[in-house]
Amino acid sequence: MKDRVFSGPDVPTALAEAAAALGQPETELRYVVLDAGSVGGRGLQPTPARVAVLLEDQPPAGADRPEPWSPPPDARAGIRGTVRAVAEAAGIDVSAEIAEGEERVVVHLRGPDHAFFFGREGRGDVLRATEHLLQRSYGAEFLPRPLRVECEGFQERRDRALAEEARDLARAVLADGQARTTEPLNAYERRVVHVALNHEPGVTTYSVGEGAARRVTVAPAEEKPPLVAEAGEDPPST
Amino acid sequence: MRELVSTLVRGLVREPGRVRVHERTVRGRLVIELTVHPDDRGRVIGRDGRTAKALRTVLGAVARKHGHSCQLEIID
């Protein structure tokens, strides 16, 4: 337990100094009087009063105290506020526009600095991370419509490229009868692959692997998926 | 960065009033310590850690924009 010693002509003065130095009301100080002090006289020197103020559980001003905060009035305001917070923290000029359709709700990230969301390697990592956070925070408000986050057509282009890769795999599978497996994909990307090949004659798709290593296998239609592969949360339709 | 972490995390949790963010610098690296209500820990971490990873991805990109790096620690 840490403490800090303050002194003054008497105890109340020492406490007032402690309160001023620590930025806390006197009534909230926890302290021990080390010396009550004396005024002196009759040949005795005056001695100052000394108090030790306990500092435990008193973080530095502003360290981790809650900031004044009120919840956003609705999900739309929450989404815009979240994107604004990212833009302000990064010092970039980007804002969110929300387009609500019957099939889906799309948050468009627009502005001269939109490339921020493509990430360090240009693969859209920051965009997908932002989408994940917005879906977890506000996606439920729009159900059953899915909430997507788009940035200058990046996700749409990636979806199209992924669907084309899936069709290439299907063609290879049909050519030699050997199953093929994609690279690791997230749940949304696996769904893109499943949907792209849903009506492709002669092939079937199923997910394999666990967690971040989960992939989609494209196999001849007569091939049964391994029992463990689809027992869980990722049926071919998702 | 504190304000950004607070905004992101308050959207995720059921007890936004219990979100605490503390920043410190360790050997030039910004360390962000996040504390939430115990029932909200799962919401901040997510299935297979995906939500925590998304938080770290966004915070990392913001820090890089300023030429820094940062580390998010979710405190028990």
Side-chain angles (χ1 to χ4, degrees), chain B residues 7-71:
Chain B
T7 301
L8 293 173
V9 174
R10 280 171 179 153
L12 294 166
V13 300
R14 297 268 171 88
E15 298 282 351
R18 297 282 296 272
V19 173
R20 298 286 184 275
V21 182
H22 178 62
E23 286 182 345
R24 62 192 168 92
T25 304
V26 180
R27 288 188 289 275
R29 184 180 173 89
L30 179 64
V31 177
I32 301 166
E33 295 174 340
L34 171 67
T35 310
V36 297
H37 188 283
D39 292 348
D40 280 327
R41 275 181 56 77
R43 292 184 182 89
V44 171
I45 294 168
R47 197 172 69 180
D48 297 326
R50 286 177 197 165
T51 303
K53 185 181 173 197
L55 283 168
R56 290 184 173 114
T57 298
V58 172
L59 297 175
V62 169
R64 268 198 307 281
K65 193 77 182 160
H66 298 292
H68 303 140
S69 64
C70 79
Q71 178 179 329

Side-chain angles (χ1 to χ4, degrees), chain A residues 60 62-69 78 81-82 85-86 88-92 113 116 119-120 125-126 128-130 132-133 136-138 187 190 210-212 214 233, chain B residues 1-4 6-13 16-17 19-23 33 35 43 45-48 50-55 57-58 61-66:
Chain A
D64 58 359
R65 291 182 190 161
E67 298 154 12
W69 176 79
T82 301
V86 173
E88 285 177 2
I92 59 173
D113 299 323
F116 167 84
R120 190 165 32 180
D125 293 355
V126 182
R128 273 193 294 281
T130 304
H132 178 88
L133 295 173
R136 286 286 168 277
S137 297
Y138 303 107
R190 294 197 301 273
E210 296 294 327
R214 205 151 164 78
E233 79 291 350
Chain B
M1 196 68 101
R2 252 186 86 205
E3 200 170 322
L4 173 60
S6 298
T7 301
L8 293 173
V9 174
R10 280 171 179 153
L12 294 166
V13 300
V19 173
R20 298 286 184 275
V21 182
H22 178 62
E23 286 182 345
E33 295 174 340
T35 310
R43 292 184 182 89
I45 294 168
R47 197 172 69 180
D48 297 326
R50 286 177 197 165
T51 303
K53 185 181 173 197
L55 283 168
T57 298
V58 172
V62 169
R64 268 198 307 281
K65 193 77 182 160
H66 298 292

Side-chain angles (χ1 to χ4, degrees), chain A residues 115-196:
Chain A
F116 167 84
F117 290 94
F118 299 159
R120 190 165 32 180
E121 294 167 9
R123 296 179 58 184
D125 293 355
V126 182
L127 182 58
R128 273 193 294 281
T130 304
E131 180 177 70
H132 178 88
L133 295 173
L134 290 178
Q135 285 171 340
R136 286 286 168 277
S137 297
Y138 303 107
E141 301 280 332
F142 299 103
L143 288 174
R145 296 174 296 173
L147 177 68
R148 298 295 319 278
V149 179
E150 185 53 278
C151 186
E152 302 295 330
F154 187 94
Q155 302 254 54
E156 204 178 310
R157 285 197 298 279
R158 176 158 168 82
D159 288 0
R160 276 204 302 271
L162 198 53
E164 189 51 43
E165 280 176 38
R167 284 189 284 273
D168 285 345
L169 283 182
R171 279 190 282 275
V173 170
L174 287 171
D176 63 9
Q178 298 293 310
R180 307 285 202 288
T181 299
T182 66
E183 62 185 13
L185 300 173
N186 66 32
Y188 174 81
E189 294 165 337
R190 294 197 301 273
R191 185 176 187 279
V192 170
V193 173
H194 290 310
V195 169

Side-chain angles (χ1 to χ4, degrees), chain A residues 201-231:
Chain A
V203 297
T204 187
T205 59
Y206 50 87
S207 298
V208 294
E210 296 294 327
R214 205 151 164 78
R215 305 157 188 251
V216 178
T217 292
V218 183
E222 61 273 15
E223 186 173 309
K224 299 278 187 197
L227 284 176
V228 293
E230 280 302 345

